[in-house]
Amino acid sequence: MTSAAFRAPWWARSPHLQTLWGPLLRRTRAPARRREVLPLADGDHLLLDWCGPSPDGQLPVLLLQHGLSGSSDSHYIIGIQRRLLDLGLPSVAANGRGALAPNDTARSYHAGEIDDLNAVIEHVHGLAGGAPVLALGVSLGASRLLNWLALADSGKLDGALAICAPLRLANSADHMDQGLSRIYRNHLIKTLLVTLDAQERHLSTVNPEQAAILAGLDRTGIRSFWDFDGRIVAPLYGFRDAADYYAQCSAGTRLGAIRTPTWLLQARDDPFMTEASLPRQRDLSDAVTLEVAEHGGHVGFVQGSMRRPHYWLEERAEAFVRAFSSDHQSVSAAAG
């Protein structure tokens, strides 16, 4: 375990201010991006948003995975893609099923879903032309990435950066039933249920059989992640119940199986989990480096002043990509 370089300023040491600053107070405009529709084997599709130059076989390509109820329009995805665009580096943000618009099956994504992620990695690797392919996952996207690295690594990634991963899902579900963390829980569950309703309406037109699957889920009185994961995620993906889902998909138990160079960045004050979720050194393989920040909240890591905040995650993402560039001078030159 190493200490992350992030240092919170005096005015932003609250984990809740760190967590809420980006979603509520940051104003950022998406850079110019190219939308690609990636077909999937089951007839559905994923939306990929490319930014920067097209892969050229030399510059590293960064694949970004958003968190629960997020998308390529999430502030942290836009910020990182803008940073890499300024450096002249290619990136692609992969949207989970239904993240930006309703998809064409009842399936979406969850903490252990790796089949869709594998399809994206295979696709991006094929386009990279031999250049390094890197992946950065945030929150639930980090959980999916870590699970893929432990269970399905095909050697198509050269490195990975996982940020604020919920490593013990039961721990997170319990913690978000307490104190101010209930604010995040309520918001996320409300957003997920609205998305589910929109998905069912869409499927009733394009795929009635799949709509019937969603219609059969009990959505009444869902007030916790134990409820949501037990009544929605478990039946949709074949888990017995929420506890079975958490046991099978908690990436924290699999960190010792990872062989691709991986950096795991966690905040000790993350309001989505407790400090008990942090892995011990003996839980990590030699390929995994754990970085822990004392502050940072959940995907916050805001520095600078209140008038001119600085988003350290973008700096960390740049350093991660630079470390895997085969030609550091070309990256520096691209930065101008």
Side-chain angles (χ1 to χ4, degrees), residues 48-50 60-66 77 80-81 84 90-95 116-122 124-125 132-138 145 157 159-161 320-321:
L48 310 182
D49 283 332
W50 289 87
V61 181
L62 181 64
L63 165 64
L64 296 135
Q65 287 283 319
H66 60 78
I77 299 289
I80 292 171
Q81 286 199 295
L84 295 185
S91 66
V92 55
N95 289 284
D116 289 358
L117 177 56
N118 188 68
V120 175
I121 291 171
E122 292 285 336
V124 174
H125 182 270
V133 177
L134 312 172
L136 184 155
V138 177
L145 177 58
L157 288 182
L161 175 58
F320 167 61
V321 175

Side-chain angles (χ1 to χ4, degrees), residues 6 75-76 79-80 83 136 138 161 163-164 265 298-303 310-319:
F6 173 77
H75 67 94
Y76 49 85
I80 292 171
R83 180 87 172 210
L136 184 155
V138 177
L161 175 58
I163 298 167
C164 295
L265 173 63
H298 190 70
V299 199
F301 302 102
V302 182
Q303 289 184 322
H310 170 70
Y311 300 96
W312 180 80
L313 273 186
E314 294 159 27
E315 180 182 311
R316 184 66 188 86
E318 177 188 339

Side-chain angles (χ1 to χ4, degrees), residues 39-55:
L40 296 172
D42 65 355
D44 211 341
H45 61 274
L46 299 176
L47 301 179
L48 310 182
D49 283 332
W50 289 87
C51 185
S54 298

Side-chain angles (χ1 to χ4, degrees), residues 126-146:
L127 295 176
V133 177
L134 312 172
L136 184 155
V138 177
S139 193
L140 198 80
S143 175
R144 294 176 66 198
L145 177 58
L146 293 169

Side-chain angles (χ1 to χ4, degrees), residues 80-320:
I80 292 171
Q81 286 199 295
R82 276 196 167 278
R83 180 87 172 210
L84 295 185
L85 177 63
D86 290 343
L87 294 170
L89 294 170
S91 66
V92 55
N95 289 284
R97 299 195 198 203
L100 282 180
N103 54 294
D104 296 333
T105 67
R107 296 178 68 85
S108 180
Y109 58 92
H110 59 78
E113 198 291 314
I114 58 176
D115 291 341
D116 289 358
L117 177 56
N118 188 68
V120 175
I121 291 171
E122 292 285 336
H123 178 67
V124 174
H125 182 270
L127 295 176
V133 177
L134 312 172
L136 184 155
V138 177
S139 193
L140 198 80
S143 175
R144 294 176 66 198
L145 177 58
L146 293 169
N147 274 301
W148 183 90
L149 289 164
L151 298 173
D153 192 343
S154 58
K156 302 293 176 66
L157 288 182
D158 293 274
L161 175 58
I163 298 167
C164 295
L167 298 172
R168 299 185 183 182
L169 296 172
N171 173 285
S172 291
D174 286 340
H175 187 62
M176 294 187 78
D177 282 339
Q178 303 172 23
L180 291 177
S181 294
R182 289 175 293 183
I183 296 172
Y184 310 116
R185 178 202 65 189
N186 294 344
H187 170 74
L188 286 169
I189 289 175
K190 179 180 179 180
T191 301
L192 292 168
L193 291 174
V194 167
T195 300
L196 202 63
D197 289 343
Q199 181 68 15
E200 184 182 338
R201 290 194 299 271
H202 170 74
L203 289 174
S204 66
T205 301
V206 303
N207 197 336
E209 287 188 6
Q210 292 290 301
I213 294 174
L214 296 185
L217 300 174
D218 179 12
R219 286 171 255 183
T220 60
I222 291 180
R223 295 184 177 85
S224 72
F225 276 105
W226 283 96
D227 291 338
F228 183 86
D229 293 330
R231 297 193 211 167
I232 307 299
V233 174
L236 269 180
Y237 300 101
F239 302 107
R240 290 192 307 273
D241 49 28
D244 184 43
Y245 164 50
Y246 297 158
Q248 290 198 46
C249 297
S250 289
T253 62
R254 299 188 170 117
L255 300 177
I258 293 175
R259 296 294 174 260
T260 293
T262 299
W263 281 259
L264 176 57
L265 173 63
Q266 304 288 98
R268 203 177 295 276
D269 66 351
D270 191 324
F272 282 37
M273 60 200 80
T274 73
E275 192 172 338
S277 68
L278 292 175
R280 299 158 298 185
Q281 189 61 41
R282 65 175 179 268
D283 298 326
L284 310 176
S285 74
D286 292 340
V288 179
T289 300
L290 173 63
E291 299 178 12
V292 179
E294 293 300 313
H295 305 283
H298 190 70
V299 199
F301 302 102
V302 182
Q303 289 184 322
S305 67
M306 294 182 70
R307 291 190 175 185
R308 300 191 66 179
H310 170 70
Y311 300 96
W312 180 80
L313 273 186
E314 294 159 27
E315 180 182 311
R316 184 66 188 86
E318 177 188 339
F320 167 61

